[in-house]
């Protein structure tokens, strides 16, 4: 019998890479998707549609993390061996506009899932992964950040993630649930949402290169982040659930770079002078900012034997090359039809 995994947030960046990984490992993968008025499964369509790759091993179920009874029903029906809770309102800037919603979906939904595990009688059988975040360190108390660094979140998103983190720890301690937190630092890829800064930069720079866009408007260029590669990081999620004992781990590259560094590296790869194209827009500033993140993944290396291979320069290259391909397709389509169409 193949192992059965349930992924919340399967249509997101990480969910799509994780689904791919688990299907490769022979899992039966179930994902919860939201009903939307337009298609929202672009990132997993290739897995769903190609029967030669994964056939009937990927199953999608409509549901919403705000809907506790639906979650409980799904757990009763599916009885998964592993649950990866990746679903969230994951945009930090948006969390300032919608703090209550973010608290509900990113924070409180963790209770819904954890309680559903208990209600479905799965506490001793299931393994649970919580997508925790370096945003919990916020106004950092130590540099670099480790599992021991105290949290000081700086956004409603960060606060919701702290709540979810401690709930995960609490259910581990109170009910002996195999529940682990991956404290993942920023991780990016060609599948990154286009409003996160890295993808916004690579998308805009490549479109500028192809004559499809004139300017790139950004907020704070001084913020520093520890950026890794999403396709690699999802392996850590899986590895954490294969350990005998549940635990919490920082996953990071131990390098930090500013948003400005990311801009310069991208525009240099395309032979463009960034200062001609990048302008400031205060709308992208946050009411309170996280200035510096850099994670020390020593525990992950020591206990699980994992370390990242892709670092900053290679990551920028992977993303820029992928977005240049998209910009070329967009350019060709425009030449042929006179119509602007985003690919
Ligand atoms: P993402 O691309 O924004 O994906 C979020 C996923 O959550 C999407 O599938 C989204 O569905 C789903 N979702 C949102 N609201 C939902 C709701 N009410 N009910 C059900 N599903 C809902 O995020 P990501 O970058 O893959 O990140 C995955 C997880 O890791 C998130 O929890 C994020 O907060 C956390 N995290 C991310 C990073 C990072 O750097 N990427 C770092 C640390 C932690 P739709 O497609 O329908 O919107
Ligand atoms: O911002 C600055 C912004 O939105 C990075 C999420 O996946 O990682 C992500 O959160 C930095 C910030 O990511 C723009 O002020 C400047 O300092 O790409 P971001 P984030 O806020 O770090 C963590 C680990 C998560 O858990 C989250 O889910 O870039 N910045 N100008 C900008 N940011 C955006 N988005 N847009 C700009 O125009």
């Amino acid at each position: 019998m193949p192992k059965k995994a349930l992924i919340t947030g399967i249509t997101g960046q990480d969910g799509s890479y994780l689904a791919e990984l688990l299907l490769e490992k022979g899992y039966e993968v179930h994902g919860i998707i939201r009903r939307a008025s337009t298609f929202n499964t672009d990132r997993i369509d290739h897995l769903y549609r190609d029967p030669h790759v994964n056939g009937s091993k990927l199953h999608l179920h409509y549901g919403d993390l705000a809907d506790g009874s639906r979650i409980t029903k799904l757990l009763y029906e599916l009885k998964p061996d592993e649950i990866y809770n990746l679903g969230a309102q994951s945009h930090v800037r948006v969390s300032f506009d919608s703090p209550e919603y973010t608290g509900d979906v990113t924070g409180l939904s963790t209770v819904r899932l954890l309680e559903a595990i208990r209600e479905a009688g799965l506490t001793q059988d299931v393994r649970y992964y919580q997508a925790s975040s370096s945003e919990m360190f916020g106004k950092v108390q130590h540099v670099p950040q480790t599992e021991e660094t105290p949290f000081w979140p700086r956004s409603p998103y960060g606060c919701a993630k702290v709540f979810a983190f401690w709930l995960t720890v609490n259910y581990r301690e109170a009910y002996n649930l195999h529940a682990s937190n991956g404290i993942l630092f920023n991780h990016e890829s060609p599948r990154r949402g286009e409003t996160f800064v890295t993808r916004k930069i690579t998308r805009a720079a490549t479109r500028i290169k192809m004559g499809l866009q004139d300017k790139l408007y950004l907020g704070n260029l001084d913020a520093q982040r520890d950026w890794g590669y999403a396709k690699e990081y999802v392996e850590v999620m899986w590895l954490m659930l294969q350990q005998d004992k549940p635990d919490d781990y920082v996953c990071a590259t131990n390098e930090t770079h500013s948003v400005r560094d990311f801009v310069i590296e991208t525009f240099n790869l395309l032979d463009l002078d960034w200062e001609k194209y990048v302008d400031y827009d205060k709308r992208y500033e946050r009411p309170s900012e996280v200035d510096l993140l850099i994670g020390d993944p020593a525990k992950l290396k020591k206990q699980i034997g994992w370390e990242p291979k892709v670092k900053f320069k290679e990551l920028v290259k992977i993303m820029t090359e992928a977005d240049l391909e998209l910009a070329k397709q967009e350019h060709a389509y425009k030449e042929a039809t006179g119509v602007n169409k985003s690919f």
Side-chain angles (χ1 to χ4, degrees):
M1 280 279 281
K3 272 195 186 174
K4 210 188 270 187
L6 174 66
I7 304 176
T8 73
I10 194 168
T11 55
Q13 171 187 252
D14 292 7
S16 67
Y17 283 121
L18 180 65
E20 239 163 50
L21 179 84
L22 296 179
L23 288 166
E24 274 164 29
K25 290 188 180 297
Y27 277 68
E28 180 181 311
V29 175
H30 294 259
I32 298 178
I33 60 166
R34 297 195 281 182
R35 191 268 160 184
S37 66
T38 52
F39 291 116
N40 62 358
T41 53
D42 285 7
R43 293 185 178 106
I44 50 170
D45 279 347
H46 62 295
L47 300 175
Y48 200 60
R49 293 214 180 109
D50 188 347
H52 300 295
V53 183
N54 302 301
S56 57
K57 284 195 167 169
L58 177 62
H59 306 268
L60 301 178
H61 310 270
Y62 282 112
D64 195 298
L65 284 167
D67 183 357
S69 60
R70 177 65 176 142
I71 306 286
T72 305
K73 188 158 177 275
L74 275 174
L75 290 202
Y76 262 115
E77 283 170 11
L78 299 174
K79 301 204 181 334
D81 301 292
E82 296 173 8
I83 298 175
Y84 296 87
N85 184 24
L86 311 184
Q89 190 303 92
S90 73
H91 203 283
V92 173
R93 178 66 192 83
V94 171
S95 79
F96 286 99
D97 300 327
S98 296
E100 183 181 332
Y101 175 77
T102 303
D104 188 3
V105 168
T106 305
L108 201 56
S109 288
T110 310
V111 184
R112 296 191 181 102
L113 257 176
L114 292 168
E115 273 302 291
I117 289 174
R118 294 185 62 219
E119 217 159 297
L122 299 176
T123 312
Q124 301 312 315
D125 304 317
V126 79
R127 295 184 173 199
Y128 177 85
Y129 174 86
Q130 174 60 30
S132 286
S133 166
S134 51
E135 279 296 298
M136 301 187 305
F137 296 123
K139 186 174 172 186
V140 297
Q141 303 297 295
H142 294 143
V143 178
Q145 295 85 53
T146 71
E147 294 78 6
E148 307 304 320
T149 305
F151 300 143
W152 190 314
R154 295 270 282 172
S155 64
Y157 170 81
C159 294
K161 283 290 183 187
V162 170
F163 176 71
F165 173 94
W166 282 116
L167 267 164
T168 304
V169 173
N170 183 244
Y171 274 61
R172 179 164 81 214
E173 293 175 352
Y175 305 114
N176 204 25
L177 176 68
H178 193 296
S180 300
N181 284 289
I183 309 175
L184 270 52
F185 281 60
N186 297 54
H187 45 281
E188 319 293 316
S189 74
R191 293 188 198 168
R192 183 60 141 154
E194 294 184 24
T195 61
F196 296 97
V197 80
T198 55
R199 187 80 199 288
K200 185 172 167 183
I201 295 166
T202 57
R203 194 81 173 104
T206 52
R207 292 186 85 248
I208 288 169
K209 180 76 182 173
M210 296 307 298
L212 296 160
Q213 185 171 333
D214 301 325
K215 286 277 177 199
L216 165 60
Y217 294 96
L218 294 170
N220 177 15
L221 296 185
D222 295 323
Q224 288 176 256
R225 290 291 182 276
D226 179 328
W227 280 297
Y229 186 28
K231 193 173 167 38
E232 281 193 334
Y233 279 19
V234 297
E235 195 191 1
V236 170
M237 302 176 184
W238 175 75
L239 282 169
M240 283 174 57
L241 296 203
Q242 310 318 305
Q243 305 306 303
D244 289 340
K245 285 197 177 150
D247 206 341
D248 309 318
Y249 297 91
V250 158
C251 176
T253 68
N254 210 354
E255 274 187 21
T256 192
H257 298 271
S258 67
V259 173
R260 184 179 290 96
D261 291 342
F262 201 105
V263 169
I264 293 172
E265 186 67 24
T266 307
F267 278 74
N268 279 350
L269 281 175
L270 295 164
D271 257 332
L272 294 171
D273 175 1
W274 73 277
E275 286 179 287
K276 279 192 191 157
Y277 301 102
V278 178
D279 275 344
Y280 172 73
D281 188 331
K282 73 171 183 340
R283 285 179 302 174
Y284 299 113
E285 294 271 358
R286 288 139 194 220
S288 46
E289 175 66 289
V290 172
D291 296 319
L292 164 72
L293 289 173
I294 176 168
D296 178 357
K299 179 176 169 185
L300 191 58
K301 186 175 177 195
K302 185 160 178 258
Q303 294 191 16
I304 299 193
W306 188 94
E307 55 185 329
K309 293 186 196 72
V310 175
K311 298 286 181 84
F312 179 73
K313 274 180 184 283
E314 197 185 340
L315 176 67
V316 179
K317 191 161 177 281
I318 290 169
M319 293 179 70
T320 304
E321 283 176 355
D323 276 337
L324 188 57
E325 266 322 297
L326 290 184
K328 283 180 180 168
Q329 286 174 32
E330 193 176 339
H331 182 262
Y333 189 87
K334 193 177 170 190
E335 291 284 292
T337 64
V339 176
N340 281 319
K341 182 171 183 286
S342 193
F343 285 85

